[in-house]
Amino acid sequence: KVKAQLEEKEGKTFDVFTAVEFKTQVVAGTNYFIKVHVGNEEFIHLRVFKSLPHENEQLSLHSYQSSKTKHDELAYF
């Protein structure tokens, strides 16, 4: 659901976009930290926010870190 948001911010499209790992953090909603394989040996870490159900908001890409590798630890950012 956030692929288009990332592609807009990066100014490019991703043929490969596969989540390989994730962690969560409960706040006033939920932060999802997701490691995404985007082709070759390139990975991107996403921070996606999901609001509480009663707020009826869409998932939003809060921030991301590019130029990651398969072995980089997925951590809060």
Side-chain angles (χ1 to χ4, degrees), residues 31-42:
N31 282 322
Y32 291 90
F33 299 92
I34 308 166
K35 182 185 292 187
V36 179
H37 178 228
V38 294
N40 300 318
E41 295 299 315
E42 187 178 351

Side-chain angles (χ1 to χ4, degrees), residues 26-30 32 49-59:
V26 177
V27 289
T30 305
Y32 291 90
F49 180 72
K50 181 178 181 183
S51 64
L52 295 171
H54 72 275
E55 294 176 357
N56 202 22
E57 299 281 331
Q58 296 290 325
L59 289 175

Side-chain angles (χ1 to χ4, degrees), residues 12-75:
K12 61 182 177 182
T13 58
F14 298 102
D15 294 331
V16 177
F17 198 81
T18 307
V20 295
E21 181 182 350
F22 78 96
K23 295 181 179 181
T24 61
Q25 175 191 38
V26 177
V27 289
T30 305
N31 282 322
Y32 291 90
F33 299 92
I34 308 166
K35 182 185 292 187
V36 179
H37 178 228
V38 294
N40 300 318
E41 295 299 315
E42 187 178 351
F43 289 78
I44 293 180
H45 292 184
L46 307 178
R47 179 173 165 191
V48 176
F49 180 72
K50 181 178 181 183
S51 64
L52 295 171
H54 72 275
E55 294 176 357
N56 202 22
E57 299 281 331
Q58 296 290 325
L59 289 175
S60 64
L61 177 62
H62 187 273
S63 57
Y64 65 95
Q65 297 175 332
S66 55
S67 301
K68 293 293 187 173
T69 69
K70 181 178 184 177
H71 302 290
D72 286 338
E73 181 181 354
L74 182 60

